[in-house]
Amino acid sequence: MKALRALAANVLAPVGIAVALFFVLEGGCRVAGRLRTGEWPRTRAEGYTAFVRGLGAAYQAHPYLVVCGRPNAVLRAAGKEIRFNARGERGTNLLDLPVPKPAGTFRILCAGGSATYDLLAKDNAATWPARLGALLAPKGVDVANAGFSGWTSLESLVSLHLRGLELSPDLVVVLSGVNDLQPAGHAPFSRDYRLGHADLLPRVTGVVPVPLRLTSRSLLVESLLDRLRPSRGVDAEGFAPAYEWTGGAPKDDIPDAAVAVYERNLRSTAAVAAAGGAKVLLLPQTIRIRADRAPADEAYVRSWAPGLSVEGFRKGLARYGGVARRLGEEGAALFFDPFSAGGFTDADFDDPFHFSAAGSEKLARSLAERVSGRLLPGAASPAR
């Protein structure tokens, strides 16, 4: 009995007092925040996680595409609006393109990840596929935006086969590469993109909730850690990509197997499109480390594919672009690099991956000129 009393007096009582004091201080932080703002406060990790889950309400899991848009959903965030059509695609206007395709219409389907989806465009009409459609509409062209955030060349291929050919496209424009670097940087590399991508995308998009540690829910702990480490940022589990990298030092290149898989995906895309009577136009994707935001942009790049250094990211993207160029030279697909002439500047990007309004307009005009001059029926220059 003496031992139990000693344990209670020397261990349990102090622990109980400490726990009670913690909850008193935590409650005080929350009440103070409520009195100051009129709302119950949340930690930054809680706030961001709630934001991501709000985004996830517009998305849904898919057995073959990992994640896709929820039909007819509307997503509003940060002053921007994304509307999904009945096909679960962002589209280029509020109406689905007619099926079957009207006689005399030349239809373009734009495939890819968030750069095609044009994540940061203010609304559907401001995306570069919609701008492209508006520029080419007088020539009897309509454009479908079939891109989706996070999709690699593999999901774009599957989507084209399952859904895209239903639209009877004449031309499929593919802008890809950045998202393929996620699985390419994972160790070990999985040829089906299961590791480092398919296991990650549902959490990044908010379709699968990211669990938070108890300490990440504490305003008191957040305040104390901020004082100890003012530049510490935010608890990692509340943010994409929501996993801890354990694969060693980031690599400065991607494995040859990843390049081979990317080539497989592009060749298969061209074959599927050809089976539906369409040509494929491959665009190499680019990233932009903006001079006045270089540290933040480099951190952004590393967070998306933590298995790669920024140099590895650049080199991998260049190797993917080389694959697309080679397929164009072989005649397996068409190839066009709108970024090679140096016409795009830092102002054309709102982050390293996504276009600003000026960049979306510039890409749309560049593509419209290419399509009008070489790819439409009766064009003066042959397609190549």
Side-chain angles (χ1 to χ4, degrees), residues 217-277:
R217 300 177 182 274
S218 169
L219 292 171
L220 177 63
V221 171
E222 181 180 76
S223 177
L224 292 174
L225 291 176
D226 285 347
R227 291 178 180 275
L228 292 172
R229 290 184 294 152
S231 61
R232 73 183 185 92
V234 182
D235 292 324
E237 77 269 30
F239 284 75
Y243 74 100
E244 182 179 357
W245 174 246
T246 58
K251 299 181 286 295
D252 292 330
D253 199 358
I254 60 176
D256 292 342
V259 180
V261 167
Y262 186 72
E263 180 173 344
R264 175 202 70 186
N265 294 344
L266 293 191
R267 288 188 181 278
S268 297
T269 298
V272 168

Side-chain angles (χ1 to χ4, degrees), residues 53-60 68-71 73-75 84 148:
R53 289 177 180 174
L55 300 182
Y59 306 144
Q60 62 184 4
C68 65
R70 188 178 298 278
V74 180
L75 175 60
F84 292 98
F148 185 77

Side-chain angles (χ1 to χ4, degrees), residues 27 51 55 118 147 157 183 195 223 237 269 278 318 330 332:
F51 168 74
L55 300 182
D118 218 348
L157 163 63
L195 301 176
S223 177
E237 77 269 30
T269 298
E330 292 177 4

